[in-house]
């Protein structure tokens, strides 16, 4: 986050946002990952409004955002008191993860307290919670003094917004929305989600900037992949994570990935001429030199070969390229390695859902 991001909004504007939330309204706000569309987590009508605005199916659960305690880096922080209105049975592992990574881009799924609204959990007995690190989100949550549910502030299935302008364009003409401007999001892809609700396993539900290796290095907790857990657990896993739909995070322009050095192969899927193609190339590579294709005009756009820098700009690039009237977008396949898992996951879903028709969304 930029140092003066809170300065982008005066305290009068933040107070107005707090009042809007208390009145059952929606407020979009920045987090370090992506912008969220917030509503009071204890107000069913406000949550209903949120689902309608997003066009999100009502069985898709949302994340509750909480303010970190004032001095969260002090040795004795009472996260347990903060979580007790939301969570049943806070395990030792959970506290270790919280102390190591909150506030930050990590969402944890717990068995829920009975007071948590079904509208938040999609009727499940679990609740997802995170304490975002962005100073403006923290200020808003602290002043609101309650939980705020906030899915990414995009229409269902579309690219998540990483700036205030992205949020405005997402809901243009549909919704008169209050948007807090905290600058560009630093992480750029949604939080890592770890399910702790089974009590004995920590399971990765959505990869993000915080990886299982980092978690193991800092806490000694081993995070399993969803496939590694027992059948009974994964059977219940139907669309618990909306990002688990094959089509998600999708631009309107068709998007495909190409293996190293094989840009032309990706075109074979598009036998009709694709006259204007934007090709993303690693900033560490020299130009690809696409000769030998008579009917295609390629333009190169460089993308960072560092995974964090790539993630930070991924949605920005997809949104910007989507505005430019290309016939096709080609991105390089991310390399192997856990630090690329978050980016690879988002790019693959974006490819699947991309293109002018939304048939892929409808089939999911
Ligand atoms: O970085 C983020 O997490 C952003 C920012 C705004 O905080 N939020 C975000 O929210 O990505 P959303 O709604 O776009 O994605 C939340 C994901 C969904 O895929 C949802 O299914 C999953 O969290 N989720 C929420 N509650 C859950 C639960 N009880 N069990 C499993 N997954 C859950
Ligand atoms: Mg989302």
């Amino acid at each position: 986050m930029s140092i003066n991001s809170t300065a982008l909004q005066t305290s009068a504007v933040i107070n107005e946002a707090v009042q809007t939330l208390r009145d059952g309204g929606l407020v979009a706000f920045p987090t370090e990952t992506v912008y969220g569309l917030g509503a009071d987590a204890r107000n069913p009508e406000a949550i209903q409004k949120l689902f309608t605005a997003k066009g999100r199916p009502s069985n898709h659960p949302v994340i509750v955002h909480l303010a970190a305690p004032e001095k969260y880096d002090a040795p004795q922080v009472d996260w347990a008191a903060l979580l007790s209105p939301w969570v049943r049975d806070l395990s030792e592992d959970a506290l270790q993860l919280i102390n190591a990574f909150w506030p930050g881009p990590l969402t944890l799924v717990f068995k829920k307290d009975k007071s948590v609204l079904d509208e938040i959990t999609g009727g499940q007995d679990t609740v997802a919670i995170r304490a975002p690190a962005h100073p403006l989100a923290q200020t808003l949550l602290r002043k609101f003094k309650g939980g705020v549910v906030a899915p990414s502030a995009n229409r269902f299935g579309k690219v998540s917004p990483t700036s205030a302008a992205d949020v405005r364009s997402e809901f243009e003409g549909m919704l008169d929305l209050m948007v807090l401007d905290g600058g560009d999001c630093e992480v750029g892809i949604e939080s890592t989600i770890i399910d702790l609700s089974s009590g004995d396993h920590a399971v990765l539900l959505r990869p993000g900037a915080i990886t299982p290796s980092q978690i193991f290095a800092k806490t000694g907790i081993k995070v399993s992949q969803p496939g590694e857990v027992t059948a009974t657990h994964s059977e219940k896993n139907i669309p618990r994570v909306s990002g688990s739909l094959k089509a998600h995070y999708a631009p309107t322009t068709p998007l495909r990935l190409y293996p190293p050095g094989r840009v032309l192969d990706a075109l074979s899927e598009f036998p009709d001429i694709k006259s204007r193609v934007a090709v993303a190339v690693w900033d560490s590579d020299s130009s690809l030199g696409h000769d030998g294709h008579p009917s295609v005009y390629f333009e190169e756009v460089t993308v960072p070969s560092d995974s964090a820098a790539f993630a930070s700009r991924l949605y920005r690039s997809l949104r910007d390229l989507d505005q430019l009237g290309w016939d096709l977008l080609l991105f390089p396949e991310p390399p192997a390695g856990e630090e690329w898992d978050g980016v690879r996951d988002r790019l693959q879903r974006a490819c699947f859902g991309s293109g002018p028709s939304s048939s892929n969304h409808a089939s999911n």
Side-chain angles (χ1 to χ4, degrees):
M1 12 330 8
S2 71
I3 294 158
N4 55 11
S5 57
T6 24
L8 285 171
Q9 300 288 196
T10 62
S11 63
V13 173
I14 296 172
N15 290 343
E16 190 190 331
V18 168
Q19 196 54 49
T20 303
L21 290 172
R22 290 205 179 121
D23 293 343
L26 307 181
V27 173
F29 63 95
T31 81
E32 72 280 28
T33 58
V34 300
Y35 274 69
L37 184 58
D40 179 354
R42 299 288 189 192
N43 182 334
E45 287 87 38
I47 298 167
Q48 184 53 51
K49 222 183 269 178
L50 178 66
F51 276 76
T52 305
K54 261 195 78 100
R56 182 168 174 148
S58 59
N59 64 344
H60 284 268
V62 281
I63 299 171
V64 177
H65 295 63
L66 297 178
E70 206 79 52
K71 295 201 170 85
Y72 58 80
D73 45 0
Q76 292 296 323
V77 172
D78 200 358
W79 285 103
L82 191 89
L83 285 168
S84 66
W86 306 93
V87 172
R88 210 175 74 202
D89 310 331
L90 198 59
S91 66
E92 261 316 302
D93 278 6
L95 279 170
Q96 256 188 289
L97 286 171
I98 288 168
N99 283 314
F101 294 104
W102 279 10
L106 178 69
T107 295
L108 298 174
V109 175
F110 304 96
K111 280 265 187 279
K112 78 176 187 81
D113 181 81
K114 58 179 181 329
S115 66
V116 175
L117 294 172
D118 281 343
E119 285 82 350
I120 293 179
T121 67
Q124 301 173 99
D125 63 351
T126 58
V127 62
I129 303 192
R130 90 177 187 98
H134 194 292
L136 191 45
Q138 283 292 325
T139 308
L140 176 73
L141 293 165
R142 199 163 286 145
K143 287 195 171 181
F144 178 65
K145 298 190 174 70
V148 170
V149 285
S152 50
N154 51 282
R155 304 268 307 144
F156 185 65
K158 294 298 178 189
V159 178
S160 301
T162 55
S163 73
D166 292 345
V167 179
R168 288 192 200 99
S169 76
E170 196 72 16
F171 294 101
E172 193 103 75
M174 284 182 44
L175 190 64
D176 185 19
L177 183 65
M178 176 162 199
V179 183
L180 294 179
D181 189 347
D184 292 340
C185 300
E186 192 174 274
V187 175
I189 58 172
E190 301 80 355
S191 58
T192 305
I193 304 182
I194 307 283
D195 185 357
L196 299 172
S197 65
S198 79
D200 48 355
H201 294 99
V203 183
L204 182 68
L205 294 186
R206 179 172 72 184
I210 294 176
T211 63
S213 311
Q214 287 169 6
I215 289 175
F216 185 72
K218 274 199 157 182
T219 63
I221 294 168
K222 198 172 168 320
V223 175
S224 329
Q225 301 290 327
E228 292 174 45
V229 292
T230 60
T232 43
H233 188 84
S234 51
E235 270 162 18
K236 287 189 289 181
N237 214 11
I238 312 296
R240 305 183 77 186
V241 179
S242 65
S244 69
L245 299 179
K246 274 169 86 182
H248 214 80
Y249 317 112
T252 309
T253 315
L255 167 72
R256 290 296 179 273
L257 304 185
Y258 66 89
R262 293 174 42 206
V263 170
L264 292 183
D265 289 4
L267 284 181
S268 58
E269 205 191 316
F270 297 89
D272 307 344
I273 115 170
K274 287 286 158 191
S275 56
R276 295 184 69 244
V277 178
V279 186
V281 296
W282 300 116
D283 57 9
S284 53
D285 280 353
S286 55
S287 166
L288 292 166
H290 328 280
D291 29 55
H293 202 291
S295 56
V296 176
Y297 167 74
F298 290 99
E299 194 164 301
E300 290 183 10
V301 189
T302 52
V303 288
S305 44
D306 168 75
S307 60
F310 188 102
S312 168
R313 302 229 285 272
L314 172 60
Y315 292 153
R316 165 88 289 111
S317 312
L318 290 179
R319 275 178 183 270
D320 290 349
L321 288 167
D322 219 9
Q323 297 304 310
L324 295 175
W326 297 103
D327 295 314
L328 177 65
L329 309 177
L330 294 177
F331 267 64
E333 272 176 14
E338 196 192 58
E339 73 276 23
W340 286 96
D341 284 355
V343 159
R344 189 178 314 103
D345 170 74
R346 304 313 190 276
L347 267 176
Q348 283 167 349
R349 293 180 209 285
C351 285
F352 194 83
S354 67
S357 111
S358 59
S359 57
N360 288 336
H361 293 125
S363 65
N364 272 277

